[in-house]
Amino acid sequence: MNDLEIFCHGYEAKKKSVSSLIDKARAELEAGNVSKKNLVWLELTGCSGNIISLLDGNNPDFKYLITDMANLVYNNSLMTAEGEAAVMKLLDTVDTEFILAVEGAVATKNGGLYNIIGRYKGEALTALKAVKMLGERASHVIAVGACAVHGGVSAARPNLAECVDVQSVLNRKVIKLPGCPCHPDWFFGTLAHILLYGDIELDSKDRPLLFYSNLIHDLCSRRSFFNKGIFATKLGDSTCMFKIGCRGPVTRVDCPVRQWNGYVNWPIEDNTPCIGCAQFGFPDQMEPFIRYDTTREV
């Protein structure tokens, strides 16, 4: 097997990784060998883009998640309960076996009062308190999206609410799924792996190797242009966009394989440079997103 064949084989295996996990999880769930887990999804300081992204998933779709894979007991955007009734559902989960998914950064200023997710018996329940309370008891904690993983846009300058990532307020391992937003497959695949096998293999930054082991640059469909030194000079050019600021060479994630919107496209294929949204430090450390003459001599 030559290098190209090895690459193509690995490419196809990565592309089918989530569907394979889901198929196995479905079979094990139907056979009764694996049980559904309670799932709590907290939306903290952010744009709710990750739950919206999850709703767009189709391998499986969101309906399958909440009917067959997990019992979604709390999500403030999707649950029918409201007010204290919603908070009660959240509190009732604390003493059960559950997985905690968190999107959005944790506001810490003034004890977390810049992000109140509900009230119970007249007392405010801050995002900070909820994450600490649930995060200490969950079987697994998954930080979903850039803001939960490393602060993201919510902790970008000037960060008036003093937002931090989920890991900063928990003294335990947190599975990190960076991206703005997180691809549905990255969450579905992680959840399926937990149900089937328990802990998922992580890299040194606690990202699942299943999705974050390769640089975008290594899998990019325009890599041959880079190798030949053929670079775009403006937006819309169909060659390598390294010289106009593409962050593919420093961003680890499988967008070139996974693609988005039902696996039909991804930014570079649509003539938009990667802006590094799945890389730690986004957006501050990735800006400016478009630049020119980045390799000129000085």
Side-chain angles (χ1 to χ4, degrees), residues 126-183:
T126 65
L128 176 60
K129 182 177 180 179
V131 167
K132 287 184 174 181
M133 174 180 63
L134 293 158
E136 291 172 357
R137 295 171 172 82
S139 64
H140 296 81
V141 178
I142 308 173
V144 186
C147 292
V149 169
H150 54 80
V153 174
S154 298
R157 294 184 295 267
N159 194 10
L160 299 177
E162 297 176 6
C163 289
V164 299
D165 58 271
V166 173
Q167 184 72 80
S168 295
V169 300
L170 292 179
N171 187 26
R172 61 168 297 169
K173 184 174 289 295
V174 175
I175 300 170
K176 300 176 177 67
L177 304 178
C180 191
C182 174
H183 194 292

Side-chain angles (χ1 to χ4, degrees), residues 71-92:
N71 301 308
L72 183 61
V73 296
Y74 182 89
N75 174 271
N76 67 284
S77 290
L78 303 177
M79 64 193 305
T80 55
E82 57 186 47
E84 287 199 0
V87 177
M88 273 299 299
K89 284 185 173 291
L90 184 63
L91 298 178
D92 288 344

Side-chain angles (χ1 to χ4, degrees), residues 105-276:
V106 186
T108 63
K109 188 172 183 177
N110 295 342
L113 287 177
Y114 283 74
N115 189 343
I116 296 173
I117 66 173
R119 295 182 181 275
Y120 182 67
K121 295 183 178 179
E123 182 179 344
L125 177 61
T126 65
L128 176 60
K129 182 177 180 179
V131 167
K132 287 184 174 181
M133 174 180 63
L134 293 158
E136 291 172 357
R137 295 171 172 82
S139 64
H140 296 81
V141 178
I142 308 173
V144 186
C147 292
V149 169
H150 54 80
V153 174
S154 298
R157 294 184 295 267
N159 194 10
L160 299 177
E162 297 176 6
C163 289
V164 299
D165 58 271
V166 173
Q167 184 72 80
S168 295
V169 300
L170 292 179
N171 187 26
R172 61 168 297 169
K173 184 174 289 295
V174 175
I175 300 170
K176 300 176 177 67
L177 304 178
C180 191
C182 174
H183 194 292
D185 279 13
W186 305 338
F187 180 78
F188 283 130
T190 300
L191 179 61
H193 193 287
I194 290 172
L195 293 177
L196 287 169
Y197 309 114
D199 293 340
I200 189 169
E201 188 176 3
L202 307 175
D203 68 7
S204 61
K205 294 182 179 291
D206 297 326
R207 299 171 295 189
L209 286 170
L210 186 62
F211 308 115
Y212 298 91
S213 57
N214 294 103
L215 291 169
I216 282 180
H217 186 62
D218 295 335
L219 301 172
C220 183
S221 56
R222 301 192 184 191
R223 178 60 187 268
S224 61
F225 291 113
F226 176 88
N227 294 343
K228 296 174 182 177
I230 304 174
F231 298 104
T233 59
K234 64 182 184 303
L235 292 176
D237 287 353
S238 60
T239 52
C240 176
M241 291 181 279
F242 174 71
K243 288 193 175 184
I244 57 174
C246 180
R247 295 305 192 185
V250 298
T251 304
R252 289 193 178 275
V253 76
D254 64 2
C255 289
V257 178
R258 190 77 43 201
Q259 302 198 358
W260 291 77
N261 300 325
Y263 317 112
V264 299
N265 207 349
W266 68 295
I268 289 176
E269 200 66 36
D270 201 37
N271 287 328
T272 300
C274 169
I275 61 174

Side-chain angles (χ1 to χ4, degrees), residues 1-11 13:
M1 184 177 290
N2 60 39
D3 290 345
L4 179 59
E5 288 173 327
I6 293 173
F7 176 81
C8 291
H9 179 74
Y11 190 96

